[in-house]
Amino acid sequence: MISLQTAIERYAGLAVQVGINVQPGQTLVVHAPLYNADFVRLIAKKAYEAGAKHVHVEWDDDELKRMKYLLAPDEAFHEYPQWKANGYLEMAEADAAFLTVYSPTPDLLKDVKPERLSAASKAYGSAMREYRALMQAGKISWAIVSAPSPGWAQKVFPGSGEEEAIRKLWEYLVQAARADRDDPVQAWHDHLLQLKGHADRMNAKRYARLKYKAPGTELTIDLPPEHQWVAGGIRNAKGTFFVPNIPTEELFTLPHRDRVNGTVASTKPLNWNGQLIDKFSITFENGVAVACTAETGLDT
């Protein structure tokens, strides 16, 4: 049985070796919150050991984020720094890889007007359109790994003190990421091979429609005739294999954009930009979301 610290170090190694699959001479860009600085330093060390030329870190701070959303003027949320968007695009075109340490604080922005969050999201999406197009098409390597925040940990373990809650959440995260195994990298190779087998089986079936039924959910999704199932990881424009999400059990394809019909209901709360949405449903007609309900966070 390895120590938690050893498992966290192996998790950092997985982020670099399996998630991003850093190549010699490559630049790694890390986006992470300040309270995960120790974990980010482990990631940087693993990246340099793998041959990375630069590790650039963009830090995020909950208090500054909340301060801006509560105090800045409305027009601030309709803008996104073009110099930052240009920088990300320049690094992407130079074959940089991008790693996000996902560490949310649920309810961080619960007192913020949803219109501000929406405006900021649209401004970001517009400014970063070219960069995100490269990411979404798999032209560049990118990955997301999770790490605890104090707020997230105490939301999951409400009866524990902050330090104990963070430790418990770390234990679950490293287990889910297979970082507690004797050979985590080999465990991931085995897992990805199994996921590929699932994708091959689904591609052989050539299903025309998927049907989902569960409490509150009755949904049909038609598939395009030439759809392809993909699982686990993909190859970027240079042929480097990377895994966008650690952990992942993902097996996915593309729906027919005009043939999604019915209602899908949530089974877990959704943290969206620091606001919780819970017990919600979305109804689709011919691929368009036409109605939504939520017990918590409907405006968001």
Side-chain angles (χ1 to χ4, degrees), residues 117-130:
L117 295 169
S118 178
S121 179
K122 289 176 182 177
Y124 170 84
S126 178
M128 301 286 276
R129 183 179 293 112
E130 292 181 80

Side-chain angles (χ1 to χ4, degrees), residues 40-268:
V40 171
R41 293 184 188 108
L42 289 173
I43 289 171
K45 182 174 184 289
K46 298 292 184 181
Y48 284 125
E49 289 173 349
K53 181 167 62 175
H54 302 293
V55 177
H56 298 310
V57 181
E58 181 176 355
W59 297 107
D60 196 13
D61 180 73
D62 277 354
E63 293 306 314
L64 288 175
K65 180 187 293 185
R66 178 175 169 79
M67 189 185 302
K68 179 175 181 178
Y69 273 108
L70 290 176
L71 301 177
D74 287 340
E75 57 265 29
F77 304 100
H78 294 271
E79 302 172 352
Y80 188 84
Q82 192 59 47
W83 60 265
K84 183 178 284 190
N86 292 343
Y88 267 78
L89 181 60
E90 180 181 325
M91 290 187 291
E93 290 176 339
D95 192 38
F98 299 83
L99 177 67
T100 296
V101 178
Y102 179 69
S103 187
T105 298
D107 293 329
L108 174 70
L109 304 177
K110 64 181 179 180
D111 300 323
V112 173
K113 296 177 181 177
E115 295 83 2
R116 290 191 161 205
L117 295 169
S118 178
S121 179
K122 289 176 182 177
Y124 170 84
S126 178
M128 301 286 276
R129 183 179 293 112
E130 292 181 80
Y131 162 75
R132 288 181 60 80
L134 293 174
M135 175 185 286
Q136 291 170 346
K139 300 294 185 183
I140 58 176
S141 297
W142 60 275
I144 301 173
V145 295
S146 292
S149 72
W152 180 20
Q154 292 195 293
K155 179 73 76 170
V156 178
F157 303 104
S160 301
E162 181 178 302
E163 188 174 330
E164 182 186 7
I166 290 173
R167 178 186 58 77
K168 287 180 176 179
L169 188 52
W170 264 126
E171 288 174 349
Y172 278 99
L173 289 174
V174 297
Q175 181 182 8
R178 295 174 169 79
D180 60 344
R181 308 288 180 88
D182 290 335
D183 188 343
V185 173
Q186 184 59 50
W188 266 92
H189 288 325
D190 295 342
H191 179 54
L192 292 168
L193 190 62
Q194 185 179 51
L195 288 178
K196 183 181 182 301
H198 296 326
D200 291 343
R201 177 167 54 84
M202 293 297 286
N203 281 322
K205 293 287 188 181
R206 309 313 307 161
Y207 287 120
R209 174 179 291 174
L210 306 178
K211 295 183 179 181
Y212 296 86
K213 286 191 176 184
T217 293
E218 189 158 348
L219 186 74
T220 62
I221 298 177
D222 286 22
L223 302 179
E226 300 302 317
H227 72 273
Q228 292 291 313
W229 289 90
V230 182
I234 54 178
R235 293 190 180 276
N236 66 17
K238 290 196 169 184
T240 302
F241 186 82
F242 67 99
V243 180
N245 295 291
I246 291 181
T248 185
E249 304 293 336
E250 192 170 15
L251 172 67
F252 62 95
T253 190
L254 186 74
H256 192 298
R257 62 175 295 172
D258 300 320
R259 297 179 187 169
V260 180
N261 289 282
T263 299
V264 58
S266 67
T267 57
K268 299 288 185 185

